[in-house]
Amino acid sequence: MLTGGPSYTESVNRGPFLTDVAVVGGGAVGWAVAWRCAARGLRVTVHDPAPGSGASHVAAGMLAPVAEAYFGERELTGLLAASAARWPAFAAELAEAAGTGIGYRTDGTLVVGLTGDDLAEARRLWSYQRELGLPIDPLRPSELREREPALTPRVRGGAVAPGDHQVDPRRLVAALRTAAERAGATLVARPVARLSDLDARVTVVAAGCGAAALTGLPVRPVKGQILRLRAPGGGPPGLRHVIRGYADGEPVYLVPRDGGEVVVGATVEERADTEVTAGAVLRLLRAAVDLVPELAEYDLVEATAGLRPGTPDNAPVIGPLPGRPGVVAATGHHRHGIVLTPITADLVADLVVTGEADPLLAPFTPARFAATARAAHCG
Ligand code: GLY
């Protein structure tokens, strides 16, 4: 049980608490938890002075459990795949609940290598992904260009991950907020200094890097710089698939959206500032244009930097906080916050209602950091 005494469900609406669930953080994960909890009849407040302005605002929205499966991250890959499998139903349910689109697209992802060395690196990774039984199929350069004619003819080869999809995180957060508010959740647009200030039976900390100061969990900021381009003349972009590319040793991804936008991302820097640097913009643009030359003609409409919440093992931290009755962590999603939104929200809502953590969460419990917990602050 999360709260001790009577079961959580028995005590809902009977306790002296102002609310059942206080969610700290109004990003994708926070609003999704709020929606799922409110839809189950719980009184929910979401606490954030600037909802939707954190990592979700910067994120590209790749739903890529295959192309983002890396060596040594087997358990995380399993969670990514389990969450990605929930995405089609989650997207449909959300569109219905919010009455708005979220830019969910299922065109698939192409992994491409520009040079022989790039291809060797990409091939090593997709061989590993295939060993795990993940759906990714090698393609010849001509097959790649048939699927995506905007790719440079210089591309040496690649693969397709047909089940790796995408969503627009800004539209996602707006829709989640609408769905949560329609289900009865309310926003408290003030910062939370201490969890003990919240008068809630259960507090869910979905505050990204801010979770470190609130909980002592070892969540660190990992800076990402990212660009948004726009096709000239307001037309659709000249590419349909998400491209996960390696270009002269530079990893880059391109995410085309219906409205003409192409997101180009992202740096991964062990830093806590959110400055945009000329060098990063140069590297991202050079890699993007090397792979898809027509991008040189696009407008550069945005260059931003955000902070991903990373943990010592780069996996999320989801579950009851040891020694803090009624406090649940839902953070540390690092590079995977958007793809992990549905499973995090569903399993946290289950935990809040039943007091039991789903076995899927066992590798991601905050208890794994109990010995090393320290106050890590994000800049
Ligand atoms: N999800 C991709 C990134 O964090 O850059």
Side-chain angles (χ1 to χ4, degrees), residues 63-68 106-111 126 129 134-139 144 147 158-165 241-242 244:
L63 308 174
V66 179
E68 299 275 304
T106 58
D107 304 88
T109 293
L110 300 181
V111 177
W126 82 58
Q129 292 156 350
L134 298 172
I136 182 161
D137 301 310
L139 297 174
L144 277 172
R147 286 173 189 250
V160 59
D164 279 14
H165 300 153
H241 299 80
V242 173
R244 188 30 147 154

Side-chain angles (χ1 to χ4, degrees), residues 6-107:
S7 77
Y8 181 74
T9 28
E10 280 163 356
S11 23
V12 164
N13 297 327
R14 285 205 283 114
F17 299 99
L18 265 183
T19 192
D20 297 321
V21 185
V23 180
V24 186
V29 169
W31 281 113
V33 168
W35 174 38
R36 290 312 211 196
C37 288
R40 291 169 84 155
L42 302 175
R43 296 168 301 164
V44 181
T45 50
V46 175
H47 301 256
D48 195 323
S53 65
S56 304
H57 185 72
V58 184
M62 293 162 72
L63 308 174
V66 179
E68 299 275 304
Y70 294 109
F71 298 104
E73 296 186 346
R74 232 184 159 95
E75 281 171 333
L76 174 59
T77 297
L79 192 70
L80 297 178
S83 195
R86 291 175 186 233
W87 255 101
F90 183 84
E93 205 184 324
L94 179 58
E96 171 81 25
T100 58
I102 56 172
Y104 178 61
R105 283 178 47 172
T106 58
D107 304 88

Side-chain angles (χ1 to χ4, degrees), residues 62 68 253 266 308 334-336:
M62 293 162 72
E68 299 275 304
Y253 53 76
R308 308 172 180 92
H334 194 220
R335 307 186 67 244
H336 308 294

